[in-house]
Amino acid sequence: EVGHGHSNFCPLEPEIDLKNDSVTVGCNIFEVMTTYNISERNLSLYAWPLQHWVKKEAEVLENRGVKSITWKVKKVGQALNLYQRGASICSPCFTAAGISDIQMEFYPNGCAATKKDGFCSLYVRCPEKVVLILTLIVGKVKKGPIKTTFDTASGKGLPDFCNLQEQINEDDTVDVG
């Protein structure tokens, strides 16, 4: 099989260790970017460069002291009209308290399990095996502290959080945290 890169990298003969009848081969990997296409699911997976992972771990260390997150959801009135019950708006992924890949899921009209009309839902996603004690916030309404273990990929939160109309700011935003 033909490899990639230089076909005439170096002469082999000077590299042979005659005493041990061997050749030492190695490489330094500076960057990895690989795409895996899974055709039956129309899905592409990407392996990120080493710098990406180093940066991500640096963010975890840098944000290990962060204990409170506020996400300002904009155009809430429009979201109430556009998003049906069960449709969510997701925050960007972030790091806090030494944990990476945290994400908030805000359901302006509630999730499928919401029972009260006009109530929103708020969920948090974290990597599996993370245990948190957290307080969830929508506007001025706080619920918690709640101890939860992220034992699956699903989010943890409250389906009947609060009446959203009462929490919308004058600029059509709501603070979620």
Side-chain angles (χ1 to χ4, degrees):
E1 195 172 321
V2 176
H4 298 283
H6 294 286
S7 59
N8 59 350
F9 186 72
C10 68
L12 180 60
E13 202 168 302
E15 302 302 323
I16 297 173
D17 179 348
L18 296 173
K19 183 177 176 185
N20 295 313
D21 192 27
S22 65
V23 175
T24 301
V25 179
C27 69
N28 290 326
I29 299 172
F30 296 106
E31 182 172 303
V32 176
M33 183 57 180
T34 307
T35 304
Y36 303 95
N37 290 312
I38 302 173
S39 58
E40 68 268 7
R41 293 192 180 167
N42 197 23
L43 179 69
S44 293
L45 304 175
Y46 298 93
W48 294 101
L50 179 60
Q51 295 88 334
H52 170 81
W53 297 113
V54 170
K55 181 181 176 190
K56 190 172 179 177
E57 290 304 313
E59 284 178 4
V60 171
L61 289 173
E62 185 178 313
N63 295 326
R64 69 184 180 275
V66 173
K67 305 293 183 205
S68 178
I69 306 319
T70 302
W71 170 39
K72 186 174 288 290
V73 179
K74 298 176 182 177
K75 299 181 182 178
V76 178
Q78 184 179 10
L80 282 167
N81 292 325
L82 292 175
Y83 291 82
Q84 298 177 354
R85 179 169 285 179
S88 66
I89 303 169
C90 294
S91 74
C93 288
F94 57 91
T95 63
I99 302 164
S100 65
D101 299 323
I102 304 171
Q103 187 175 41
M104 290 186 263
E105 291 180 50
F106 177 63
Y107 296 78
N109 284 305
C111 65
T114 301
K115 296 186 178 13
K116 299 178 183 177
D117 285 337
F119 272 58
C120 61
S121 304
L122 179 60
Y123 288 80
V124 176
R125 288 185 181 269
C126 277
E128 288 185 39
K129 300 181 183 172
V130 169
V131 178
L132 288 178
I133 299 173
L134 48 86
T135 298
L136 298 174
I137 302 165
V138 174
K140 298 197 182 328
V141 178
K142 296 180 180 184
K143 304 248 175 141
I146 303 165
K147 182 177 181 180
T148 188
T149 301
F150 293 86
D151 47 7
T152 65
S154 63
K156 302 287 184 161
L158 299 170
D160 291 298
F161 196 88
C162 67
N163 184 313
L164 182 56
Q165 288 289 345
E166 297 170 1
Q167 303 308 315
I168 300 174
N169 299 319
E170 288 181 16
D171 63 352
D172 198 30
T173 64
V174 66
D175 294 327
V176 176

